[in-house]
């Protein structure tokens, strides 16, 4: 059973090492991208949003103090407390008069724009329903002294970026206009620092990922490589291979499965060797007899008797039975011998079969009794079921004890007919009961036969009954005897009508 040289399959999948590396690296890259986007790229966006919310809250607080006599002091306090610049105007008769002013940060927009530009905040706030908000940046190229500024695109300039909140509201018939300004710039420096840090962290994480995937893949693939090596040994005919699955549970399971397969291969190999030895033996015995008889008839005058010719005929019959059994068995096992079901009466079939044992009963003192239940119609392959019955009765005759009694019983229950063949022989030891259905398996090698068997009987029985989907089995007790049985679905009377019986 030497296999051909083990070749790798044509469709090669990528190895665990590569997959692990690809998986871990993708995961790390994804994590890094998410961190970069949410923690770094969008940090400025979230920070600025928060700053505008804060300006709105301050604006609401300030609105409550507009009529306070100590408004200027209040404005100063809020500006210092929050770190922002504030300018408050009162508009009377079309003229805006500054009533409070707090300039606490350098380069704030509201203190550096020209009066015209500042007036535009006022107009825009009015036009916008009372409030005007804008993110602004000094245009450094335009020069500070001109007070130029522009609204930047993202990252357009490295100048100071500010959030400006302007509001117009009437308090007790007076119109107030105030503007708040807070610096947004520091977040840029943080983002820049974070970006540098991020690249270092990303680099180290990728390096660690590569290292880890290498270590893990080695840990995972090493036991697999060992098992593959052992499996190669098995394929090359070393059936004693013992698979070791150290490392982790899955490998242990694989090793267990392979050990099981190796045990099965060992036993199949042993059975196959035994099969060849048995077939050769069983073929040689009748052939030797035929040759012996023929030579005797050729060489010894007067030996050419009808009895000797009969002996040759008997041996050739036995030979063809053996060959037929082998053919049946291999066809059954290959699945090419399919049952061709017809409807027949099992009781009648068993009764007819009994006649075959007349000789044994009359001359050798065997007692074969049949306890039937009347008709039992079944749909099955007639020839195959007949073969099963013969094999079971032959075995019972072969293995029955001194009392030479075989009891064939037919019973009906739950819509099935059960046929049992019981003997009072030595029985079969429980640990052998599984194997007796294997080809050429014999509990003990000693043949003491009344009816010659081919040694394939029970495997044919098993093949036929399994092809019929029938239940079958054996109940046996050592020293008491064995009962082999099988069951077939019973056809009811209506079903039999219309069948060709
Ligand atoms: P054979 O009977 O030709 O050896 P079988 O396949 O019919 O081959 O049976 C396989 C083995 O099962 C037998 O060798 C025998 O050991 C055991 N066996 C079968 N039938 C019986 C029985 N009725 N009583 C005891 N052992 C049996």
């Amino acid at each position: 059973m030497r296999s051909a040289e083990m070749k790798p399959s044509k469709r090669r999948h990528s190895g665990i090492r590569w997959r692990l590396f690809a998986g871990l690296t993708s995961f790390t890259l994804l994590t890094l991208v998410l961190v970069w986007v949410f923690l770094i790229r969008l940090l400025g966006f979230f920070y600025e949003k928060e700053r505008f919310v804060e300006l709105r809250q301050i604006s609401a607080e300030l609105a409550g103090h507009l009529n306070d006599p100590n408004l200027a002091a209040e404005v100063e306090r809020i500006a210092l407390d929050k770190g922002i610049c504030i300018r408050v105007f009162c508009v009377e008769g079309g003229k805006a008069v500054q009533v409070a002013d707090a300039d606490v940060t350098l380069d704030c927009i509201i203190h550096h724009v020209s009066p015209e530009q500042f007036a535009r905040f006022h107009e825009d706030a009015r036009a916008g329903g009372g409030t005007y908000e804008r993110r602004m940046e000094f245009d450094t190229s335009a020069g500070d002294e001109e007070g130029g500024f522009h609204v930047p695109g993202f990252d357009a300039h490295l100048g100071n970026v500010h959030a400006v909140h302007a509001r117009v509201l009437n308090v007790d018939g007076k119109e107030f206009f105030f503007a708040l300004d807070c610096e947004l710039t520091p977040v840029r420096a943080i983002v820049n620092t974070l970006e540098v840090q991020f690249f270092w962290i990303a680099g180290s994480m990728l390096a660690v990922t590569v290292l880890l995937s290498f270590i893990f893949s080695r840990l995972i693939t090493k036991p697999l490589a060992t098992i593959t090596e052992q499996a190669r040994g098995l394929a090359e005919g070393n059936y004693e291979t013992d698979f070791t699955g150290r490392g982790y549970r899955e490998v242990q399971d694989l090793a267990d499965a392979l050990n099981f397969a190796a045990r099965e291969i060992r036993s199949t190999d042993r059975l196959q060797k035994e099969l060849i030895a048995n077939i050769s033996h069983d073929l040689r015995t009748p052939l030797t007899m035929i040759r012996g008889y023929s030579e005797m008839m050729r060489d010894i005058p007067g030996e050419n008797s009808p009895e000797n010719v009969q002996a040759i005929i008997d041996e050739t019959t036995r030979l063809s039975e053996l060959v037929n059994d082998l053919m049946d068995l291999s066809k059954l096992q290959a699945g090419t011998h399919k049952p061709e079901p017809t409807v027949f009466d099992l009781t009648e079939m068993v009764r007819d079969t009994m006649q075959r044992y007349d000789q044994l009963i009359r001359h050798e003192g065997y007692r074969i009794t049949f306890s039937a239940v009347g008709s039992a119609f079944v749909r099955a392959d007639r020839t195959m079921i007949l073969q099963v019955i013969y094999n079971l009765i032959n075995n019972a005759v072969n293995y029955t004890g001194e009392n030479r009694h075989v009891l064939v019983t037919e019973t009906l229950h739950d819509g099935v007919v059960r046929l049992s063949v019981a003997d009072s022989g030595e029985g079969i030891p429980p640990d052998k009961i599984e194997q007796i259905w294997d080809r050429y398996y014999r509990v003990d090698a000693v043949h003491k036969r009344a009816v010659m068997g081919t040694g394939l009987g029970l495997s044919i029985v098993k093949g036929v009954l399994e092809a019929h989907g029938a239940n079958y089995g054996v109940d046996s007790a050592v020293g008491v005897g064995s009962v082999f049985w099988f069951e077939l679905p019973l056809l009811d009377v209506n079903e039999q009508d219309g069948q060709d019986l």
Side-chain angles (χ1 to χ4, degrees), residues 183-230:
E183 196 180 354
L184 297 174
T185 313
V187 79
R188 279 223 180 152
I190 295 169
V191 168
N192 288 346
T193 317
L194 282 179
E195 265 175 357
V196 173
Q197 275 186 346
F198 174 80
F199 285 117
W200 280 104
I201 292 172
S204 337
M205 273 184 76
L206 283 173
V208 170
T209 305
V210 172
L211 193 73
L212 280 183
S213 56
F214 180 74
I215 294 172
F216 281 143
S217 66
R218 262 193 84 79
L219 281 177
I220 294 172
T221 51
K222 207 162 173 252
L224 287 178
T226 315
I227 285 192
T228 310
E229 204 44 50
Q230 290 168 330

Side-chain angles (χ1 to χ4, degrees), residues 24 43 62 66 81 136 171 239 284 296 352 381 440 499:
L24 278 179
L43 178 69
L62 192 59
L66 288 176
D81 188 31
M136 289 175 174
V171 181
Y239 302 143
R284 206 175 318 118
M296 188 171 73
D352 291 348
D381 187 308
Y440 263 112
Q499 305 283 343

Side-chain angles (χ1 to χ4, degrees), residues 301-345:
E303 281 298 329
N304 202 342
S305 63
E307 292 79 35
N308 286 349
V309 173
Q310 188 56 47
I312 290 173
I313 293 170
D314 288 348
E315 290 306 320
T316 45
T317 311
R318 191 174 135 56
L319 260 183
S320 43
E321 268 173 13
L322 177 64
V323 172
N324 284 342
D325 274 4
L326 276 171
M327 296 267 288
D328 284 348
L329 190 60
S330 62
K331 278 196 241 159
L332 274 171
Q333 284 177 342
T336 50
H337 193 18
K338 293 254 157 50
E340 285 168 22
T342 51
V343 175
F344 61 89
D345 182 0

Side-chain angles (χ1 to χ4, degrees), residues 7-35:
K7 286 199 191 104
S9 60
K10 273 197 188 133
R11 250 188 90 218
R12 299 278 283 168
H13 293 284
S14 48
I16 289 180
R17 196 166 292 190
W18 165 243
R19 285 192 184 196
L20 203 70
F21 171 73
L24 278 179
T25 313
S26 317
F27 176 72
T28 310
L29 282 176
L30 186 73
T31 314
L32 288 173
V33 167
L34 288 177
V35 168

Side-chain angles (χ1 to χ4, degrees), residues 85-89 96 98 100-101 108-125 132 136 147 149 164-167 177-181:
C85 288
I86 306 175
R87 290 178 79 179
V88 184
F89 291 82
Q98 184 162 293
D101 181 27
C108 83
I109 296 228
I110 56 173
H111 284 104
H112 289 83
V113 293
S114 60
E116 296 75 45
Q117 279 168 330
F118 194 79
R120 230 180 292 145
F121 292 158
H122 186 199
E123 282 157 30
D124 289 341
Y132 169 74
M136 289 175 174
F149 67 94
V164 173
H165 173 99
R167 194 164 168 196
F177 165 64
F178 61 86
L180 314 178
D181 178 311

